Amino acid sequence: MVTTRGFNGRRLTAAFARRLPPGQFETDDFPVLSKGPTPRIDLDSWRFTLSHGAKPLASWTWVEFEALPRTEWKGDIHCVTTWSKFDTRWEGVSVDDLFAAAGIAPPSDFLLALSFDDYDTNVPVADLIGGRAMVATHFGGEPLTTEHGGPARLLVPHLYFWKSAKWLKGLKFTARDEAGFWELRGYHMYGDPWRQQRYSDDP
């Protein structure tokens, strides 16, 4: 993974320390990590698709996606590389609203988040619904920058941030819990920061 140098750790108050999962440090930076080169995505050809296996269920252009109901979230995010960032602000379309707009109930309990750079990661559907996740298009009140996954990325803040796939192009329901890019390379299938589920042999 490519990491940004210059993390700025600082001494935490007791209140902030309670928000920090074990093994993490707090930073004001927003490090950039990815598996490879940053893709350049044309909004005119951007599409977001829900599918069940190979079967498309619903699809939106960028203009159509921007017209969906908006939601905001503020809170802490945690990267498996041990940095955490507090009080981040995101805006986008909740996964609940996506499913409602598509007129579907989840056809399985698992899915893969798919990215334009051929990255994918598995997430249980239960971790995306009930207001727990969104497809984010804005960070800190501004459109999401390309280096942080713009124009749209998945945001699953209660899991390690590799589950919040950058440059998202779709969600594919799967019949079983299928490993994604990092999970096939030894990362945990779930990735709970509070249980330090970093690698496949972590409980």
Side-chain angles (χ1 to χ4, degrees):
M1 299 176 75
V2 178
T3 61
T4 297
R5 297 181 182 276
F7 294 174
N8 295 314
R10 67 184 183 195
R11 187 182 300 277
L12 297 175
T13 65
F16 271 50
R18 284 193 291 272
R19 295 163 57 182
L20 198 62
Q24 298 289 115
F25 71 93
E26 192 264 344
T27 180
D28 289 329
D29 291 342
F30 194 169
V32 175
L33 303 96
S34 60
K35 75 176 184 66
T38 298
R40 301 297 170 184
I41 301 165
D42 178 13
L43 290 182
D44 290 336
S45 58
W46 184 92
R47 293 198 72 86
F48 185 89
T49 302
L50 293 178
S51 60
H52 185 195
K55 177 184 177 183
L57 299 176
S59 183
W60 295 268
T61 66
W62 180 255
V63 172
E64 293 167 340
F65 191 84
E66 285 278 272
L68 294 174
R70 310 288 296 177
T71 191
E72 297 181 358
W73 180 86
K74 179 179 178 181
D76 308 334
I77 56 176
H78 313 287
C79 180
V80 71
T81 59
T82 73
W83 60 263
S84 292
K85 185 173 179 62
F86 292 167
D87 297 321
T88 61
R89 291 192 298 120
W90 300 83
E91 179 185 331
V93 178
S94 75
V95 175
D96 300 287
D97 286 333
L98 269 179
F99 292 170
I104 64 165
S108 72
D109 292 334
F110 302 99
L111 56 74
L112 283 167
L114 308 176
S115 299
F116 280 97
D117 65 342
D118 294 328
Y119 176 83
D120 57 9
T121 187
N122 64 313
V123 189
V125 171
D127 285 271
L128 299 182
I129 60 178
R132 308 184 79 189
M134 72 165 71
V135 178
T137 59
H138 287 68
F139 172 77
E142 301 291 337
L144 191 59
T145 62
T146 302
E147 65 181 354
H148 286 301
R153 72 179 297 167
L154 188 62
L155 176 68
V156 194
H158 63 282
L159 299 180
Y160 279 127
F161 222 47
W162 91 80
K163 298 291 184 178
S164 295
K166 294 180 176 181
W167 310 300
L168 197 67
K169 68 177 182 181
L171 301 175
K172 182 177 76 171
F173 293 100
T174 54
R176 57 181 178 80
D177 195 10
E178 297 182 13
F181 181 86
W182 285 122
E183 294 81 15
L184 287 170
R185 291 161 174 79
Y187 278 52
H188 201 277
M189 286 292 283
Y190 185 64
D192 183 341
W194 295 95
R195 297 172 65 185
Q196 294 201 76
Q197 292 176 331
R198 302 177 191 277
Y199 304 109
S200 59
D201 57 352
D202 290 329

